[in-house]
Amino acid sequence: MASFSHCSTNSLPTTTDASSLTPNQFYKLCPARDESTPLGQPQCGDGSPFSFFFARPPARLANSRKLLIEFQGGGACWDAVTCGIQRDYLTFPPYYDEFVGKSCTEIEYGVHNSEDVPLSMLCAKSLGTTHFDEYNTVVVPYCTQDVHTGDSVMVYGENDGDDDGTTTVRHVGAHNMYRTLQWVFDNFHNPTHIFLTGCSAGGTAVPIAYDIINKHYNTFLKGTGAWPRALNINVIMDSSVYLTPEYFLQHYYANWNPGTIMNKIRFDFDRYRYESNYPDLLWGHILKRGPNSDKWGFVTHSDDPVSLMYFQYMSGYGNNNARRSLAVGQYIPPFSLEFHRELGDDSQSQWWGGIQSSMTAVEKKHKNVDFYIIDGEGHCSFGLYYPLQDEGFQEWASPIVKEGIVLGNSRPPALCFLTSVALGAILVLLIRAAASQKNRTKLLTDDEAQVSGIHHQTQQIPEAMARIKGFIFHQASKASSWPWTAGYIVAFTLYFVCTLALQGFAHPLENPTFGPSAVGLSSSGINNPSLVIYKMEHYRLVTSAFLPSGIITYLLVLYSMYKHGAILESALTEYNYLHWVFVLVVAIISMGVNLFYACIGNGASCTSLALAIGLNIFSGSLQRMSISSLKKMYPTSWCFTFLVLLFASTPLFPFDSVVALSASSVIGTIIAFLFFERKQSEAIETENEYRNDSNSYSSEHVTTEQGASIRWGFVKGTGVTYLILYILLLFRVPSPDKKNMYPYLTGCSLVYSDQIGDFIGNYASNYGGRSLEDNQNLHDGKSMCAQLCVPHLVYRPLVWGVRKLGLIALEEGTCEENGYDEHIADKTVREYTVTLEVQVFSHSEE
């Protein structure tokens, strides 16, 4: 039975959904213990609770597609002496608790060191074209001294541990790693890019974590080692304790019982456990199981005292020395330079020779592996701290961490859209088939029906199936005169329901129409000119026409399409006997609205409401220009249309742009007057008489009872116009605001203030390192600036209220536009249930 009773008070249970957590701050998550589950006992070496840390990216960069997972290092132990030395590292590292509630940039700026160990927050950095601030970050602490791979409980003697002279050590690092990854799998169902890294013992565990992740996501159905791939995983191991001497393998490795986790990755542990090249065999096995498109990097110093000490001690060099030193009270720690110097330089040459030999062998067999050697003495710290200080590292690391192309990973919204449209198309076919069958039935007598085999076929169908078939065709026949409208309503409804299921509801202040957030709508394909032009996401020109901004707009579009669109299609079909005329009108309005908005709009807008408005105005305009006897055939909805236009032009509809609505109104009016060419009514009456007598029609005539035929010149001219607009988009002639490439910013308006002394005080560091208050000349509250994005609905009232009350000088715009060019940190705050993201800037020291 899973239990969370052991978890600390400052942690959350791993039943917590990642999407429910506030962006841009770290949370401590504690996995359950379950004795009945393999690898189900996550805890530290001394039995204290194990937890890991997680932070979502800032709201403006929020996504569930990218993950950064970092494994902490901190030594290893395997007997009474080593575990006695490492006693302090068998409990949960308390300094990581300081992460809780802080953002990546806040920690990066405010911390130079923790426990005298330098830190670097990768989630606040970029390497080449890869921006880790876009990544969901998981930090896996280390407190089991088994390089994250153990599955055993050992009782060691000969030390000053418990009263009976023994110490119990829980080498259960595999449990901790596996339960952390299980939470990742449960909360990130379809990632595209994962970056793995780790320092020392953490780096040693990274290949095993890679294999578990790779085999979970890159299944047979999602994509294997060949294309298409479901996930790109890149790796950099920093100063891993890589070499594992035979002495250690034969005498102590079994104390950790790593065989359990090795079986998970299908490595033949029993066969290779004593081999001198065991590390190469293990890594080679993992590399073979992954694709060459995943890049691997290994970083080491040419003189690494820590790795060397472990190599010496694992080789058995230091055992007697350590015990003798303990006995006389002059203990020389085996993991120290003093210990290394007593042993001389022979082990140094052995260690370095082994590293070089291994590097050469691995590079020769695997072209996707590269090594980086830092010249000089050193080891590693959190977040690739030392490599990032080395000139040349970023250039080397950039192609390794570069986000690879993933062809086998389909975004859930894309699957939703394609499925919805497919089901809508199937409904259209069913309706057309039902109408066709109904017409045939009317034309055939019973005797003819028997000759044609209809009755015979019906008898061959089981009664239950016949009833189902009859029910389906009966329901479908109800929409026989408006199949395309029915198909659109089904696709539109299914896509909206799927979007809500995937994205959920935003706060009403962020989306007053009761729908997803700006980020959620962007994921589902809302028209965003910045993304269409700068990122070439042209699919938005189509998907936005099937996407309502919220429940209110959904109901408005549904009502309009059912009450007006269906009648319009029926009228056009009745007098043309051609369903595609209505489809052509819809295509002209929809594509025109999306192209014009992409060219001259800014922000983001759904266009389903604009499409409905355009059809309404098209229908009303046709009604006004029709001959008196046929006016009633076209629905008019001027009052409804004008009311929708009026309210949609307010902040109550933040994702239904006035530009799109205006474009639809203009296009609907133009095509109503120019799409058809009116003829004399006498000719029409003759043709109608012909049709009524024959109960048939000629496909060669494209005329209507109103005396109108299609102006193909106008249609062709419209097509050329749209093509020109599309070419302009291809060549990026329009230049929308680049800040809207962050979907989050399309749902709010930016304001800034440089009077932020009180707010800056909240950034003061508790670590004793660098803080924003250290330099009073630079950071005096006047030379700093904070900006935040306020929901459109409350933007103007807030700015007016703040200015009126004289609380703070709140101005429209951004800090960067006003000379504050050094980004310091981000902070996410929650006020009155609304989450606001604050960015702090300063003048650069130059």
Side-chain angles (χ1 to χ4, degrees), residues 582-593:
F582 176 75
V583 177
L584 181 58
V585 171
V586 170
I588 291 175
I589 295 174
S590 176
M591 191 53 63
V593 168

Side-chain angles (χ1 to χ4, degrees), residues 118-397:
L119 295 180
S120 169
M121 300 302 294
L122 282 178
C123 51
K125 298 181 182 296
S126 296
L127 277 176
T129 59
T130 301
H131 305 287
F132 289 120
D133 57 351
E134 299 176 357
Y135 281 57
N136 295 272
T137 301
V138 178
V139 176
V140 186
Y142 177 51
C143 56
T144 52
Q145 293 296 292
D146 54 9
V147 296
H148 296 273
T149 61
D151 178 29
S152 71
V153 178
M154 296 297 297
V155 179
Y156 296 121
E158 301 182 16
N159 66 10
D160 56 353
D162 298 335
D163 294 338
D164 59 359
T166 63
T167 294
T168 301
V169 178
R170 294 159 183 83
H171 294 298
V172 291
H175 297 238
N176 299 343
M177 174 171 64
Y178 198 71
R179 289 300 132 194
T180 300
L181 294 180
Q182 281 296 320
W183 182 85
V184 170
F185 299 156
D186 292 341
N187 285 272
F188 296 88
H189 304 290
N190 204 32
T192 56
H193 297 90
I194 293 180
F195 176 65
L196 297 176
T197 188
C199 161
S200 194
T204 306
V206 160
I208 297 171
Y210 167 89
D211 191 89
I212 294 172
I213 294 170
N214 181 50
K215 293 307 173 184
H216 174 81
Y217 287 115
N218 288 316
T219 62
F220 176 77
L221 294 177
K222 292 182 179 179
T224 57
W227 295 98
R229 296 214 59 222
L231 171 67
N232 172 227
I233 311 171
N234 296 321
V235 178
I236 291 182
M237 298 181 287
D238 187 4
S239 305
S240 300
V241 182
Y242 182 66
L243 298 181
T244 312
E246 289 183 69
Y247 179 86
F248 174 78
L249 294 173
Q250 294 173 1
H251 293 87
Y252 294 109
Y253 197 28
N255 290 355
W256 296 344
N257 187 26
T260 304
I261 197 68
M262 297 304 172
N263 289 335
K264 287 283 185 184
I265 65 172
R266 298 191 177 183
F267 177 69
D268 195 342
F269 176 71
D270 292 332
R271 178 181 178 183
Y272 299 117
R273 61 187 297 181
Y274 299 130
E275 296 292 332
S276 58
N277 62 338
Y278 173 83
D280 293 347
L281 294 171
L282 174 59
W283 197 11
H285 167 80
I286 293 169
L287 287 169
K288 287 180 182 178
R289 284 162 58 86
N292 289 331
S293 55
D294 288 344
K295 304 302 180 184
W296 291 72
F298 188 105
V299 180
T300 185
H301 287 76
S302 59
D303 183 1
D304 187 336
V306 176
S307 293
L308 177 58
M309 294 305 152
Y310 274 100
F311 176 75
Q312 293 168 332
Y313 208 71
M314 286 178 167
S315 300
Y317 297 153
N319 287 14
N320 294 332
N321 180 285
R323 287 177 171 81
R324 184 173 63 252
S325 298
L326 283 171
V328 299
Q330 297 177 344
Y331 171 66
I332 301 175
F335 313 134
S336 67
L337 278 174
E338 290 80 2
F339 182 80
H340 163 55
R341 288 163 182 160
E342 282 205 355
L343 291 177
D345 295 329
D346 290 342
S347 56
Q348 162 71 19
S349 60
Q350 292 179 24
W351 171 78
W352 183 240
I355 288 289
Q356 288 183 312
S357 176
S358 180
M359 286 192 297
T360 301
V362 172
E363 280 186 312
K364 186 176 181 180
K365 291 183 179 179
H366 304 282
K367 303 303 182 184
N368 59 328
V369 179
D370 198 7
F371 291 83
Y372 185 84
I373 301 172
I374 302 175
D375 189 24
E377 180 181 295
H379 190 51
C380 66
S381 186
F382 188 83
L384 301 175
Y385 179 86
Y386 291 113
L388 287 169
Q389 314 302 314
D390 194 69
E391 185 179 357
F393 172 77
Q394 292 210 27
E395 182 179 354
W396 171 84

